[in-house]
Amino acid sequence: PFLIPEEVPCDRAGIEHLREMEPVLSSVGIRIRPAEEGGLAVLAAPPALAGERLRGFFDRLLADAARDGAPPDASALRERVVRIAACQSAVRFGDRLAPEEIGALLAERREGTFHLACQHGRPTSWVIPLPELERRFGRKG
């Protein structure tokens, strides 16, 4: 839960779409209500969806809803919500990470739970053979 609700700009149609999605949003830890001055008040969300990432999440969710027209069934909607949340909360180029966060990512890699591609199919890591590194740095190990 947020100490102070996050305000997300949203028109009436968007608020109605989100109200229909409320049970699914709630099931993944996102609690919403219409804001007093228009828009949306987000009362709770997963920690990785803060600030601009939270706004990006709702922008993508509403864009998908507007494109699709009819709302998907509950399980398809839940999958969409989880995918968009994962995408919006992912570590991105230029993000500053605490040493603990870096350690957690490296531990995932060692345990084999680290995915080699994001949900869009872009690689998340590469294997660079030692001879290639030696060649690029002009050094022999």
Side-chain angles (χ1 to χ4, degrees), residues 8-65:
V8 175
C10 190
D11 62 15
R12 275 194 174 292
I15 291 171
E16 287 306 312
H17 277 300
L18 293 169
R19 296 290 284 191
E20 293 170 8
M21 298 177 196
E22 203 165 359
V24 172
L25 293 172
S26 181
S27 76
V28 296
I30 299 170
R31 289 192 357 249
I32 61 170
R33 68 171 162 73
E36 292 177 14
E37 297 180 21
L40 186 69
V42 182
L43 308 173
L49 284 179
E52 289 304 313
R53 291 181 181 209
L54 186 65
R55 287 176 188 80
F57 168 80
F58 282 106
D59 288 347
R60 283 262 319 269
L61 191 58
L62 289 171
D64 284 1

Side-chain angles (χ1 to χ4, degrees), residues 83 86-87 90-91 114-125:
R83 283 182 180 271
C87 184
V91 175
F114 190 83
H115 297 284
L116 297 177
C118 73
Q119 67 170 350
H120 305 104
R122 292 187 291 269
T124 59
S125 62

